[in-house]
Amino acid sequence: MGAAAAEDGIVGRGNREGARLFREWFEGLTQAAEQERGAAYVFVMGSLGELLRVFDLPLVFPEINSLQTAVRHVAHEYLNEAEDIGYSPDICGYVKADVATQRRGGVLPMGRIPKPAIAVLTNACNTYIKWGEIWERMYGMPAYVLDVPGTREAGGQTWPGHGDFERDRRYVASQLRELIGVLENVTGKRFDIDRLREYMGHANTMNRGWKRVLELNASRPSLFNALSDGTVYLGVCNGFRGDAKGAKFFDQLVEEMEYKRAHGIGTLTDEQFRLVFVGVPCYPIFRRFTELFMEHGGTFVHSTYLWFASGGSNLGFEYDLADPLDSLAEGLLIGVRDAMDSMFFQTRALATMIDEFAVDGIVFHPIKSCRTVSTGLADHRRALMEMRDIPSLFIESDMMDRRVVSEAQLKNRIDAFFEGLHSRRQQAAAGIS
Ligand code: SF4
């Protein structure tokens, strides 16, 4: 294959395929809604897609549906509808958009979602639990909360073989066994461990691929923008977890990134500054937000969002298919714990990444309506500044609510940040410290 032909086929394939899979996924959900099939409502931090597929449950990710209303510029209609019936402007915008979605019979800009037959949640975010209670009240279906033990202190994680870890793993495994019983009751289907093995095998391929793709972006120039392209890949990582199509997507994505690295094809033609993003994206002006950085030659080489919002898949954990249930518990514990650490204890990982990814600056983006991710970001910034001499930007907006997103203010702050980066570079070149 000639270089141009290869580029035509390979370069940009992840974005094209990601968009295609997304459309396909929503067509499937719309069909399930029309057939009045009950779905499993799940969250990105601990979705257990590989287990739920065994019971043929369509997977609905309310967080992803809600953020899509913001990307498509209609979130305000959904937020207003929920606020009109008493939901506070301060609570998680995803919850409010979902409440309005349910009141509209599941109608979203991308299609229609089926009603829940069950919700499966983890304790990774306290909002998940209150959100599940809303559906219980609306539909009277069960909401199963998996209690996944978190890290007791920064850097205090234990691993397989350690007594604390083994006790935590057994605790999670016992909950999974109980959940399987609940799923059998809800669906009327018997649990099939061989199907679970098959889906866990696909999840292994996806986890392995996701880890590799993230590592490859340490290349110079960086191969993809962690905020824009990365969010497309993340959508597949979540929505197709355990699916053969998800496994194929990640095999191909690794191939694309390896190809780009080998041929020096960067996400920007003239990469000037390599940045890391901390927090949740600004979905109401999603594309424009990234452009405000790209206009200065800045690209995001990494993001904590790609860690916690993938439920810890970034670690590349692979299940032992010879012992599926205990291994599923181990993977869930390690992944969800890492997702929580990526929100609450990310400072050390960021400090390490500064060298590994040759980072020029860190962008902290706390948002009004996600307290879980945003609380403490100012302290994390201060702690990181004490550990490393790295410029940082602290800008506030929201993931859903355009009323608190001011593009002009963001632009002023971002422009000033790049001025600082330029002058720091000039001083370094002149030997001024
Ligand atoms: S992590 Fe943030 S955005 Fe997600 S459900 Fe919790 S509060 Fe909402």
Side-chain angles (χ1 to χ4, degrees):
M1 195 177 345
E7 284 184 25
D8 279 343
I10 295 179
V11 176
R13 182 175 59 194
N15 283 16
R16 287 194 304 275
E17 274 298 290
R20 189 187 63 77
L21 285 173
F22 221 74
R23 284 194 299 275
E24 200 177 285
W25 181 28
F26 265 91
E27 281 161 18
L29 288 177
T30 303
Q31 213 172 46
E34 280 160 7
Q35 293 165 351
E36 300 194 349
R37 285 175 62 199
Y41 278 29
V42 296
F43 294 94
V44 295
M45 294 189 281
S47 73
L48 282 177
E50 53 279 69
L51 175 63
L52 296 166
R53 288 184 200 285
V54 174
F55 295 93
D56 297 315
L57 284 158
L59 299 185
V60 170
F61 285 77
E63 295 156 297
I64 298 177
N65 300 337
S66 293
L67 75 85
Q68 283 290 327
T69 64
V71 171
R72 288 159 195 260
H73 308 295
V74 292
H76 56 284
E77 296 171 15
Y78 289 75
L79 296 179
N80 287 341
E81 195 171 324
E83 287 175 15
D84 283 349
I85 56 164
Y87 284 85
S88 159
D90 290 332
I91 63 166
C92 172
Y94 287 174
V95 173
K96 285 184 290 187
D98 173 66
V99 166
T101 303
Q102 301 304 335
R103 288 167 58 86
R104 292 174 179 209
V107 175
L108 285 160
M110 311 78 72
R112 190 168 153 228
I113 51 166
K115 289 179 183 166
I118 185 170
V120 179
L121 5 156
T122 65
N123 56 325
C125 171
N126 57 350
T127 298
Y128 287 175
I129 297 163
K130 304 312 289 180
W131 201 342
E133 289 171 3
I134 296 173
W135 297 322
E136 277 183 322
R137 283 198 297 273
M138 281 181 170
Y139 301 110
M141 29 55 73
Y144 191 93
V145 182
L146 281 149
D147 181 23
V148 181
T151 299
R152 275 72 162 178
E153 60 176 316
Q157 296 88 342
T158 56
W159 297 97
H162 189 285
D164 285 350
F165 183 91
E166 294 307 326
R167 279 186 286 279
D168 288 348
R169 189 183 50 73
R170 281 203 300 277
Y171 175 53
V172 174
S174 69
Q175 294 176 71
L176 286 178
R177 288 187 169 85
E178 186 183 43
L179 172 60
I180 287 170
V182 175
L183 288 166
E184 287 186 326
N185 281 337
V186 165
T187 62
K189 287 185 196 283
R190 291 290 303 276
F191 172 60
D192 180 340
I193 201 156
D194 290 323
R195 283 186 74 192
L196 177 64
R197 264 196 198 93
E198 180 190 336
Y199 300 136
M200 287 170 79
H202 296 317
N204 281 351
T205 306
M206 294 175 74
N207 286 353
R208 193 165 56 236
W210 189 222
K211 178 170 186 271
R212 182 68 186 140
V213 164
L214 296 176
E215 285 168 357
L216 281 166
N217 218 27
S219 304
R220 193 184 274 271
S222 61
L223 310 173
F224 66 93
N225 188 308
L227 201 52
S228 48
D229 309 314
T231 302
V232 176
Y233 311 153
L234 180 67
V236 179
C237 178
N238 284 313
F240 288 81
R241 186 174 180 84
D243 190 307
K245 290 178 191 161
K248 182 176 173 203
F249 175 87
F250 274 94
D251 275 344
Q252 291 189 335
L253 190 60
V254 171
E255 184 188 35
E256 177 183 341
M257 295 305 152
E258 299 274 15
Y259 180 90
K260 289 180 81 172
R261 184 174 68 154
H263 293 79
I265 303 170
T267 182
L268 291 182
T269 42
D270 183 19
E271 178 179 291
Q272 293 289 323
F273 296 103
R274 298 165 63 84
L275 308 169
V276 170
F277 181 86
V278 181
V280 178
C282 178
Y283 284 117
I285 53 164
F286 184 55
R287 185 186 296 265
R288 182 68 190 133
F289 186 90
T290 314
E291 282 171 3
L292 292 173
F293 293 87
M294 282 163 54
E295 285 163 0
H296 292 276
T299 185
F300 290 102
V301 296
H302 220 319
S303 160
T304 59
Y305 192 53
L306 302 185
W307 305 343
F308 61 78
S310 73
S313 291
N314 51 297
L315 294 180
F317 178 86
E318 292 188 45
Y319 298 116
D320 174 3
L321 301 185
D323 185 11
L325 270 183
D326 279 342
S327 190
L328 185 65
E330 187 170 305
L332 185 69
L333 172 58
I334 289 175
V336 173
R337 188 185 67 178
D338 189 74
M340 290 192 264
D341 290 350
S342 301
M343 297 186 291
F344 308 137
F345 301 124
Q346 81 264 111
T347 308
R348 284 187 201 187
L350 289 173
T352 312
M353 189 186 289
I354 289 167
D355 298 324
E356 288 174 356
F357 283 72
V359 174
D360 298 301
I362 312 262
V363 177
F364 290 88
H365 182 238
I367 48 176
K368 180 195 71 146
S369 68
C370 173
R371 304 280 165 82
T372 306
V373 174
S374 305
T375 306
L377 276 193
D379 292 329
H380 284 299
R381 182 196 195 195
R382 200 171 54 236
L384 185 62
M385 298 307 109
E386 282 167 14
M387 289 167 82
R388 301 297 304 264
D389 175 27
I390 181 95
S392 67
L393 174 66
F394 198 81
I395 39 174
E396 296 168 84
S397 73
D398 199 52
M399 62 199 184
M400 290 288 286
D401 192 345
R402 68 179 190 182
R403 292 168 296 193
V404 290
V405 178
S406 164
E407 187 185 321
Q409 277 179 18
L410 289 170
K411 182 169 173 12
N412 278 344
R413 300 283 317 283
I414 292 165
D415 289 350
F417 176 58
F418 279 101
E419 273 177 36
L421 291 179
H422 274 292
S423 88
R424 184 183 167 98
R425 193 167 275 178
Q426 282 162 0
Q427 286 177 2
I432 306 166
S433 63

